[in-house]
Amino acid sequence: MADEVPNLPTEWVGTAVATTWGVSTKHHPRHDSHGHVDPEWHAYIDPSTLRIVRQEGRSLELLVLSGGHEAQAVGALSADGRRLVYATQDVTCHATIDGDTMEIEAFSRPHGSDRSGGTFGVGMATLTAKR
């Protein structure tokens, strides 16, 4: 059936590169050392995993794992299964899926926390489906 939405592989692994002002998420390497107390420019590369916990048609529940932390996320998949948008409490991501490769653009600006207003960041990741 042409209208059938593809089921995504349940685990994607790869590397993320990020640039931030301050420490905008728990995934940041300086989060546990309280690097957010003195905001400044940071750049880092980190292993990253995206896990599909549940997929119901085009709606998804996900887990983002990196930097020794995990974050719950919700997502929506395009009808053709080639685009995915998902969000955690702090980050919004737009992904393009081409077979077993996912290219992700991430934007972080935490809201409603002690970090809101002074920290923000962007990132990109390339993940490969584990089969």
Side-chain angles (χ1 to χ4, degrees):
M1 174 184 274
D3 294 337
E4 194 169 312
V5 177
N7 283 322
L8 295 179
T10 57
E11 190 152 343
W12 299 76
V13 296
T15 303
V17 60
T19 305
T20 68
W21 185 262
V23 177
S24 57
T25 75
K26 290 180 180 179
H27 300 279
H28 194 288
R30 292 199 56 211
H31 177 269
D32 292 340
S33 65
H34 304 288
H36 56 283
V37 174
D38 184 21
E40 61 183 49
W41 182 83
H42 300 279
Y44 63 94
I45 297 173
D46 211 10
S48 185
T49 299
L50 181 66
R51 190 170 293 147
I52 311 294
V53 176
R54 176 176 26 189
Q55 180 178 351
E56 293 182 10
R58 294 173 52 195
S59 299
L60 296 106
E61 176 186 359
L62 310 104
L63 273 178
V64 178
L65 302 105
S66 65
H69 294 276
E70 65 180 47
Q72 292 179 303
V74 294
L77 187 63
S78 65
D80 64 4
R82 293 185 44 88
R83 291 176 295 122
L84 170 66
V85 62
Y86 63 94
T88 70
Q89 183 177 358
D90 299 320
V91 181
T92 301
C93 299
H94 299 265
T96 302
I97 302 165
D98 185 9
D100 284 347
T101 302
M102 184 182 299
E103 296 284 342
I104 301 168
E105 297 174 347
F107 309 90
S108 64
R109 185 178 287 279
H111 298 284
S113 73
D114 61 343
R115 296 172 289 139
S116 64
T119 62
F120 49 90
V122 296
M124 298 190 90
T126 301
L127 306 180
T128 303
K130 283 182 69 174
R131 298 223 183 235

